[in-house]
Every structure is written in C-alpha cells, then in structure tokens.
Amino acid sequence: MTNLAEHQPDCPFCAIASGALGCHKVYADASVTAFMDKNPINPYHLLVIPNVHVADFYELDDATYVAVMRVVKKMAAIVKSLAAPQKVGLVVAGFDVPHAHIHVIPMHDYHDITSRHYIEGTLVRPDDAELARNAAEIKSALGMS
Ligand SMILES: [Zn+2]
C-alpha cells in the first residue's frame, strides 16, 4: 500500500518497503516497515523505516514520525523479551543509506552501541538462516506468524 511514486530508484530501503528487494521483514503497514539488520551488533538488531523516502527522520511529517516511533516502541519491547538484554538502544545515524531508519539494538553491554567492530565494519555476519529464525520469533511475538 506504499506510494511507489515517492520511492527513489537505487535506494535499497525504498526497494525493501515496496517489496522489490528481499529481506527478513518482521512488520509492515501502510507507512512503516521493520526488518532484520543484515549486519547486526547483536542478534535481534532490527531496523524500522518509513515507507516513504525521506533522508532524515526529522524531515518526516509528524504523522509518519509517530507511526515509525510506535513501531519502534513495539519492536523494542519484543526485542527485550526475546534477547533479554540489559537495555534496548536506539541509534539514528544514516551514513550508509540515505533513507531515514531507526536501529533497534539489544544492548547486553553499555558499549554495544559504540561497538568498534560495528564502526569498523568487522562484525561477524549472521547467516541467512539465523536472520530468518530471529525474524520468525519476532513475527510470532507480534502474532503475525
Ligand atoms: Zn528510500
């Protein structure tokens, strides 16, 4: 139900929102999509995006911003229950993909959010099966399985 006219060609997150690019999606509605980060800091690290292409979250219209943050809140509670971290952290940076996205990150340690491996891009990538398993658990917790 996304407005394809608002999508940017060559934007991977627009492609995910429209369904043109596959991912381990855990949630989608008319204005928001959530999916597993392919390069997570910890298992269950996921991304929440507006379906519309807007580079920075503070440029979103208020209704879309609220819709995104409602999904972030719901996802954070599920991540807390599944990953049992000390805290669930949120990061908004956007150096990698110029389409607003909120990282929802289970933090077992204070330094998880400033992980040197993450910044240097040297994290161990989970395989596709692990991402699929984690996505299925989140969908199950949402009652979407
Ligand atoms: Zn985009």
Side-chain angles (χ1 to χ4, degrees):
M1 294 289 281
T2 59
N3 183 350
L4 294 175
E6 294 174 350
H7 286 171
Q8 287 284 317
D10 304 326
C11 172
F13 288 176
C14 282
I16 281 174
S18 72
L21 179 64
C23 68
H24 293 287
K25 199 174 282 192
V26 298
Y27 178 87
D29 64 28
S31 52
V32 182
T33 300
F35 55 96
M36 307 310 293
D37 192 308
K38 278 167 52 180
N39 203 18
I41 289 176
N42 286 318
Y44 304 99
H45 174 173
L46 52 88
L47 300 177
V48 180
I49 63 169
N51 293 337
V52 64
H53 184 88
V54 172
D56 292 298
F57 80 94
Y58 45 81
E59 293 172 339
L60 291 168
D61 64 79
D62 285 354
T64 306
Y65 173 78
V66 169
V68 167
M69 293 312 287
R70 277 202 178 119
V71 174
V72 164
K73 179 181 169 187
K74 188 181 292 188
M75 291 301 147
I78 290 172
V79 164
K80 174 74 178 172
S81 72
L82 291 174
Q86 287 189 53
K87 291 287 179 185
V88 179
L90 304 181
V91 170
V92 182
F95 288 106
D96 42 359
V97 177
H99 179 134
H101 54 284
I102 317 284
H103 292 262
V104 179
I105 304 166
M107 296 177 67
H108 301 286
D109 180 87
Y110 181 79
H111 295 289
D112 279 350
I113 222 150
T114 56
S115 166
R116 173 176 220 139
H117 287 299
Y118 191 69
I119 291 165
E120 294 176 349
T122 54
L123 286 173
V124 176
R125 273 191 140 171
D127 62 20
D128 207 54
E130 184 180 351
L131 287 174
R133 241 185 349 265
N134 293 347
E137 288 175 80
I138 290 170
K139 282 191 278 191
S140 173
L142 271 170
M144 287 175 55
S145 54

